[in-house]
Amino acid sequence: MRECGTPDVPSFSALRKLQSKSVKEVRVYPEHHTSSLGNHFYMNHPLDSSLLLEKFKASHFYIKEVAQLKSGEFVVPMRWVIFQKTEHVDCYRMRQNEETGKYYLFGHSTDSELNALHRIPVIELKSNFLELRSAGYEFEFLVYSDLAMVGSTTLGITPHPVREIAKNRPAFVLRIMPWCDDVSGNRSKQYNPHVNLYMSNSSLPHQKLSQEYFVRFCSTSTHASSLEQFEALSQDIVCSCGGLACSLNCRYDKTGGSKEHKETDEGYHAMFEPGTPRTPEKTIAAIMEQIETACLGVQADVDALFTATGIKDKIAIHWNESLRGPEAVKEAIKLEIQQELKSWRYEKLPEDSASSWDHFNVLLRVRGLDPHKDSPCEILHTYLLGEDKYIWYDTSKKWDKKKEELFAICLQSSSLDGLAINSLRAHYCVQYKKSLIGKHFKALQQLAVFHLNDTLCPPDIFEIWKASGELGAMLWFPEIKNMSQYLSDLEILIANLLDLWAIYDPSRILLKFKLHVLSHLVNDIRRLGPAVLFSTEVFECWNAIFRLCSILSNHLAPSHDIAATISDMERFKHQVSGGWWKDSESEDWVRAGLMVRSYLTHTPELQRRLGWADSSSVIPGTAKLQSKKKQCPSTWKESLGKYWLQERDERGRSCATWVRCKYIVSRSHDICRDGSWPGAVTVGRIACILSPFTPTKVSQNPAVVIILELFEVQGQKDVRLNMPVLLATGRSILLAPTDILFIFNAQHDCRFGKCKIVDAPVLQERIVTTKTRGIVEHLDDTRHFINLHALHNAHLVRETLPRGLIQPQLRYPDRRKTHNELAASLRITGPAKRAATAAKTADTRARKKQQENDLGNRYSRSGGRK
């Protein structure tokens, strides 16, 4: 910088000094931890927000406290909600009895708590409980039932207990979603195992949770397991499951049992529904039983408990192995040895700990946390890499080269507009069909059903594809407006998918644990909101940042070095995004200057590198013009072409010269181009977008005109695809930019149009070659399908269409009868398969033993020579 003539360039030592000062003040740095198993690692703990909150002093209102409105009326707030984009409070109103002077609660109805709550804008609140008490107000309630309804026995007497903790600072409840998984630290195929722990703030707006900018790195280690790292994280604030080999292999409930039990009518039907939920208390009791059994020195008994209970805690396993005593002990001294080993176990605790839960999953002891219920069904690994992967394998495993090429050509012809898919590499999907990842399965889930026929898959597989696409679109809803209706539809779709899998392969739900887990999605969404909120796709994307830090380290202390590197990045993000910190010299709260803060908002390249997308820069109604080389300014009549009508001349008199636009932004911030299918005042396809001539690249002129080719939504769904049908009307209308609500995906009906495959030149390095490859030539353009399997704007599509076109129906109304029939067939095929497997295993064992004996005999005859 000095060589370039930049003035006032600080010295390198001054830069390092400022960085060290920033590390101490912002307080984002790695801290050393030693787990209960003796493993060492470093963790970046979340920023201590209590220090930051000292800056803000205000009048704070708490739930379950008496407050006063501006009108003078007293209320008891119960919850804070956002209603019509404005903060509101749901509260009980209070009245005073004239005779006794005591207060009581009242509402519209005493039968329902919800009806008794009144919704009032937050700005109507005037005085909180402390201010009322300082003014001399005293509150005593007439009946105890009022206190029970509010859930506070000290209502009107003492302030909320959190006030003492907050000490006159704002108090917030944050939903933290931690995620831990094993990740390779290399980009190459050589596996370099690390266990990483990330987290995100689930209280952020939903659209922010999918951005890498809002992912926080916590720790990584090549030695410490996930539970050991969670133990360190719990100081600021996964379930102990035995795995698929256990009889009760569901982390949610106790569904399962022996193979024979799961083939009975009761046991088989239970696999399709949530069972008796697990609880932390019973899980702890099972782990303690395993530890006590381990003290007897018989590992087989411990393994039997693993299998029977479905509970297998990694930390407890470590101590169980340490407690393993001699196998051949006499019965008389077993209990004595057991007690001695239990005493030794507690002597081995770390010096700073004296609690029994250092020997098992610490999350089971965290107050307010239930690892069984609070570890929701994650749709990336459970659905995309689970159910979708199963159906893709069963569909493609018997394809030959001709069928693979046919499917790839048809799939590549799909319309991607309105799908939020950048590119579709169909030939890659069939060439490496056994090595696909989540993004490939997400594309197949939305598009494969349009290109599968009887030659590519049997009818029962095709029905599963349809059910999978219908359920998948519902799972990726970003928001839910009618929760009861949504959950009712979701329950039907899950039931259809599981039943169709059972018809195709009755034993599949017994062998594939992820199918049973889908039945728990209804309860997870009811408790935690849309499934995309607890999806882990953004964490998987963040692994790329971790790998860069891992590659650029010297690998001598990976946990510390990676944590230190990422803490520097977190500190930079805190500063450029306008965060505050306390200056160590002046003791004042400071933040970066305006130019530093504006650097992030005005530098798209920095936003891209930090994983932040600023949606506010995309303004609805904005039109982007084509490049000057492609504009071809023309008159109104020439611009309309075949869409010109004399009565439309009035619309074009506002400007003499018109140009074509590249795209226009809808109200939902979608990019709509020529050929897009927008949801507007009517259904149609954009023919072209015209704008009055302007020298700028972007136009917000309300005179922009959108020519829409009208299509009609048929009253009946297509029988084969179970999707709404669009038919061309031959008419068109002119729309304003504000008329475009959102964009949806529509696919051409190639079966109806009798589309054919033709050869086309292959493009390599942007050069047209002499090589050819087949493409689909669409012939009849009058019939399309509204893609109900599309994930993008799936909720808006269903809000717009009539209920009769989207309401799901049970494929098998009498599910119990269907399950009983399938269970009966399993009781015949199941024992036969197990007997064949046992015979094959015994034969393999005998053959290997014979080979070992033959090898030993040859070794003996050779006199010990190799």
Side-chain angles (χ1 to χ4, degrees):
M1 294 177 67
R2 285 173 178 166
E3 293 295 329
C4 295
T6 305
D8 302 326
V9 178
S11 64
F12 186 77
S13 59
L15 174 63
R16 289 303 190 198
K17 183 178 180 181
L18 179 62
Q19 288 177 335
S20 300
K21 181 174 179 288
S22 180
V23 168
K24 295 178 181 179
E25 293 178 347
V26 181
R27 301 181 67 176
V28 181
Y29 48 81
E31 297 182 12
H32 177 259
H33 287 274
T34 304
S35 72
S36 57
L37 303 187
N39 291 317
H40 295 255
F41 62 95
Y42 287 82
M43 173 172 286
N44 291 345
H45 288 272
L47 183 65
D48 190 355
S49 57
S50 63
L51 300 176
L52 177 60
L53 294 177
E54 292 179 1
K55 174 177 172 55
F56 302 95
K57 305 292 183 180
S59 178
H60 306 140
F61 293 87
Y62 284 74
I63 62 171
K64 301 181 182 181
E65 273 189 356
V66 178
Q68 188 179 33
L69 303 178
K70 292 180 180 179
S71 62
E73 184 180 5
F74 296 108
V75 296
V76 179
M78 293 302 296
R79 62 188 176 207
W80 314 100
V81 296
I82 301 294
F83 178 67
Q84 296 180 349
K85 298 183 179 181
T86 307
E87 292 184 11
H88 284 68
V89 55
D90 287 347
C91 58
Y92 290 109
R93 287 178 170 170
M94 296 169 50
R95 280 185 179 175
Q96 189 175 25
N97 186 285
E98 297 180 355
E99 297 180 358
T100 62
K102 297 182 179 180
Y103 290 86
Y104 64 95
L105 306 179
F106 78 99
H108 297 302
S109 171
T110 57
D111 297 331
S112 172
E113 179 183 343
L114 183 61
N115 293 334
L117 291 172
H118 297 259
R119 183 160 293 174
I120 300 172
V122 169
I123 58 175
E124 295 297 322
L125 294 172
K126 176 184 176 183
S127 303
N128 62 22
F129 179 76
L130 296 183
E131 294 167 343
L132 293 175
R133 192 169 62 175
S134 300
Y137 286 97
E138 294 183 0
F139 302 95
E140 185 177 355
F141 285 84
L142 188 64
V143 291
Y144 180 78
S145 60
D146 286 346
L147 303 181
M149 184 163 56
V150 175
S152 173
T153 58
T154 60
L155 179 64
I157 302 175
T158 61
H160 197 284
V162 178
R163 283 193 182 274
E164 178 63 26
I165 301 174
K167 300 186 183 303
N168 201 30
R169 298 171 299 190
F172 300 94
V173 177
L174 299 180
R175 291 174 55 194
I176 301 299
M177 182 172 69
W179 177 84
C180 198
D181 198 8
D182 58 316
V183 182
S184 175
N186 295 346
R187 280 186 168 182
S188 63
K189 291 185 178 181
Q190 181 179 359
Y191 193 69
N192 182 14
H194 289 70
V195 178
N196 292 3
L197 177 61
Y198 309 146
M199 72 176 182
S200 64
N201 181 5
S202 298
S203 298
L204 290 172
H206 297 181
Q207 65 271 22
K208 302 295 184 185
L209 292 177
S210 60
Q211 299 184 22
E212 296 177 24
Y213 183 85
F214 299 97
V215 175
R216 291 294 304 271
F217 172 87
C218 291
S219 61
T220 183
S221 176
T222 56
H223 310 288
S225 65
S226 58
L227 291 182
E228 295 172 78
Q229 296 182 46
F230 270 121
E231 182 180 2
L233 180 63
S234 66
Q235 296 175 7
D236 299 311
I237 31 177
V238 64
C239 177
S240 302
C241 180
L244 305 183
C246 298
S247 300
L248 309 179
N249 56 15
C250 181
R251 69 173 184 268
Y252 287 94
D253 57 34
K254 297 181 180 180
T255 300
S258 64
K259 295 178 180 179
E260 292 76 11
H261 172 73
K262 287 186 285 189
E263 291 172 357
T264 63
D265 292 347
E266 292 294 335
Y268 189 72
H269 179 71
M271 299 298 296
F272 294 82
E273 297 176 348
T276 304
R278 295 182 185 268
T279 62
E281 294 77 16
K282 293 183 179 180
T283 301
I284 293 174
I287 295 174
M288 296 305 295
E289 182 183 4
Q290 294 170 10
I291 294 176
E292 292 187 1
T293 303
C295 295
L296 296 175
V298 183
Q299 182 62 31
D301 294 343
V302 180
D303 293 339
L305 287 176
F306 289 159
T307 303
T309 62
I311 296 172
K312 196 172 184 179
D313 190 279
K314 288 187 177 181
I315 296 180
I317 290 175
H318 168 81
W319 292 104
N320 289 348
E321 292 175 352
S322 302
L323 298 176
R324 192 179 303 166
E327 295 280 348
V329 292
K330 295 182 178 180
E331 292 294 333
I333 61 174
K334 275 189 175 182
L335 293 178
E336 182 180 352
I337 293 177
Q338 182 184 32
Q339 294 301 321
E340 291 180 359
L341 288 174
K342 287 173 65 177
S343 302
W344 173 85
R345 172 170 63 95
Y346 288 103
E347 292 175 0
K348 297 293 289 184
L349 282 169
E351 294 181 359
D352 58 347
S353 176
S355 55
S356 62
W357 53 85
D358 283 282
H359 292 87
F360 58 82
N361 188 348
V362 69
L363 299 182
L364 294 169
R365 290 286 191 179
V366 175
R367 190 180 65 177
L369 176 66
D370 185 345
H372 303 293
K373 294 193 301 182
D374 296 334
S375 300
C377 176
E378 191 274 305
I379 53 180
L380 170 61
H381 295 88
T382 305
Y383 201 74
L384 293 179
L385 300 178
E387 194 278 334
D388 284 351
K389 188 175 182 179
Y390 304 154
I391 186 64
W392 169 247
Y393 174 77
D394 282 27
T395 303
S396 62
K397 64 182 179 181
K398 295 182 179 180
W399 285 353
D400 54 21
K401 293 296 182 182
K402 291 184 178 180
K403 290 183 178 180
E404 288 180 355
E405 181 66 16
L406 174 62
F407 179 76
I409 292 173
C410 295
L411 182 63
Q412 194 64 46
S413 69
S414 304
S415 172
L416 302 185
D417 194 61
L419 285 181
I421 298 177
N422 295 327
S423 63
L424 181 63
R425 301 173 62 188
H427 288 84
Y428 177 92
C429 290
V430 297
Q431 183 178 359
Y432 303 101
K433 57 186 180 183
K434 295 183 179 180
S435 303
L436 303 186
I437 59 177
K439 67 177 182 180
H440 300 125
F441 290 117
K442 186 180 289 187
L444 291 170
Q445 174 187 295
Q446 301 176 77
L447 296 172
V449 71
F450 296 99
H451 310 293
L452 293 172
N453 51 37
D454 294 340
T455 62
L456 293 176
C457 74
D460 50 357
I461 290 285
F462 183 76
E463 293 300 319
I464 300 178
W465 273 107
K466 289 197 301 181
S468 176
E470 293 169 359
L471 175 58
M474 294 284 286
L475 293 180
W476 264 265
F477 269 33
E479 60 182 25
I480 303 172
K481 293 186 177 180
N482 188 337
M483 180 62 78
S484 59
Q485 178 179 294
Y486 174 84
L487 293 180
S488 176
D489 291 349
L490 190 68
E491 194 169 2
I492 293 174
L493 293 174
I494 293 175
N496 288 342
L497 180 62
L498 296 183
D499 290 348
L500 288 170
W501 267 113
I503 294 296
Y504 170 69
D505 181 4
S507 64
R508 186 63 61 96
I509 196 170
L510 306 182
L511 302 176
K512 298 299 183 181
F513 159 75
K514 293 180 180 180
L515 292 180
H516 166 71
V517 172
L518 293 178
S519 64
H520 293 279
L521 268 170
V522 176
N523 291 331
D524 288 340
I525 294 175
R526 182 183 287 112
R527 292 183 63 248
L528 304 174
V532 293
L533 296 184
F534 40 88
S535 175
T536 62
E537 290 182 69
V538 65
F539 297 123
E540 297 285 356
C541 295
W542 212 90
N543 285 337
I545 301 174
F546 157 76
R547 289 191 182 98
L548 284 176
C549 299
S550 174
I551 292 171
L552 299 176
S553 69
N554 59 14
H555 304 288
L556 298 179
S559 181
H560 175 272
D561 294 345
I562 295 173
T565 301
I566 296 179
S567 67
D568 292 339
M569 184 183 71
E570 292 291 342
R571 185 171 59 256
F572 173 76
K573 288 164 55 177
H574 182 75
Q575 291 170 336
V576 298
S577 60
W580 295 81
W581 67 89
K582 182 179 284 188
D583 185 77
S584 58
E585 298 176 357
S586 64
E587 294 294 324
D588 294 330
W589 286 95
V590 297
R591 62 173 176 170
L594 179 62
M595 296 300 293
V596 175
R597 301 199 306 269
S598 61
Y599 180 60
L600 175 63
T601 56
H602 294 89
T603 311
E605 181 65 20
L606 178 61
Q607 296 176 14
R608 183 185 67 82
R609 291 183 178 276
L610 293 179
W612 180 48
D614 185 12
S615 59
S616 61
S617 60
V618 183
I619 304 174
T622 301
K624 183 175 182 179
L625 278 62
Q626 291 184 343
S627 63
K628 292 184 179 181
K629 294 182 180 181
K630 299 180 180 180
Q631 281 184 0
C632 299
S634 57
T635 63
W636 171 253
K637 184 175 181 180
E638 293 172 346
S639 299
L640 289 182
K642 66 178 182 179
Y643 301 103
W644 176 83
L645 296 174
Q646 187 172 1
E647 56 266 23
R648 293 176 177 173
D649 283 344
E650 184 68 26
R651 189 77 174 266
R653 291 176 181 174
S654 60
C655 182
T657 307
W658 293 77
V659 295
R660 301 196 67 158
C661 298
K662 187 176 181 180
Y663 64 78
I664 192 150
V665 182
S666 70
R667 291 192 196 176
S668 60
H669 297 84
D670 293 322
I671 303 299
C672 302
R673 298 179 172 85
D674 292 355
S676 296
W677 297 83
V681 292
T682 185
V683 178
R685 180 175 56 191
I686 295 178
C688 65
I689 306 170
L690 301 176
S691 172
F693 179 76
T694 175
T696 60
K697 294 182 180 180
V698 179
S699 173
Q700 295 183 354
N701 192 334
V704 172
V705 175
I706 301 158
I707 304 175
L708 191 73
E709 297 176 332
L710 293 179
F711 280 72
E712 183 180 7
V713 181
Q714 300 300 294
Q716 298 293 328
K717 294 184 290 186
D718 181 76
V719 177
R720 179 173 178 272
L721 294 180
N722 198 33
M723 293 187 187
V725 179
L726 293 171
L727 290 181
T729 63
R731 296 180 288 110
S732 63
I733 60 172
L734 305 184
L735 297 178
T738 54
D739 294 331
I740 306 299
L741 304 179
F742 61 92
I743 190 175
F744 66 90
N745 178 257
Q747 296 294 328
H748 183 256
D749 188 354
C750 293
R751 290 169 65 93
F752 175 83
K754 295 182 173 55
C755 301
K756 59 182 181 179
I757 298 177
V758 297
D759 289 334
V762 176
L763 200 66
Q764 295 179 354
E765 301 295 333
R766 301 182 182 179
I767 301 173
V768 178
T769 66
T770 57
K771 300 184 65 175
T772 60
R773 173 174 283 177
I775 63 170
V776 175
E777 182 182 17
H778 297 303
L779 300 178
D780 190 333
D781 198 37
T782 61
R783 181 181 168 95
H784 293 76
F785 298 113
I786 297 179
N787 187 358
L788 291 185
H789 295 183
L791 306 185
H792 186 63
N793 288 336
H795 61 303
L796 298 179
V797 171
R798 284 159 176 76
E799 290 175 9
T800 305
L801 292 174
R803 176 67 176 164
L805 293 179
I806 60 172
Q807 184 174 8
Q809 302 292 334
L810 275 175
R811 296 294 301 269
Y812 302 95
D814 192 350
R815 299 186 66 206
R816 184 57 186 268
K817 179 181 177 182
T818 304
H819 296 165
N820 290 347
E821 294 173 353
L822 296 173
S825 66
L826 279 177
R827 288 194 288 273
I828 299 174
T829 60
K833 287 182 178 179
R834 289 193 291 274
T837 302
K840 185 177 180 180
T841 301
D843 181 66
T844 302
R845 188 180 297 111
R847 186 172 63 253
K848 288 183 177 180
K849 186 175 182 179
Q850 183 62 38
Q851 292 174 352
E852 293 176 356
N853 294 336
D854 293 343
L855 182 62
N857 293 335
R858 288 197 299 270
Y859 183 78
S860 300
R861 288 195 297 270
S862 64
R865 295 189 303 273
K866 293 185 179 179

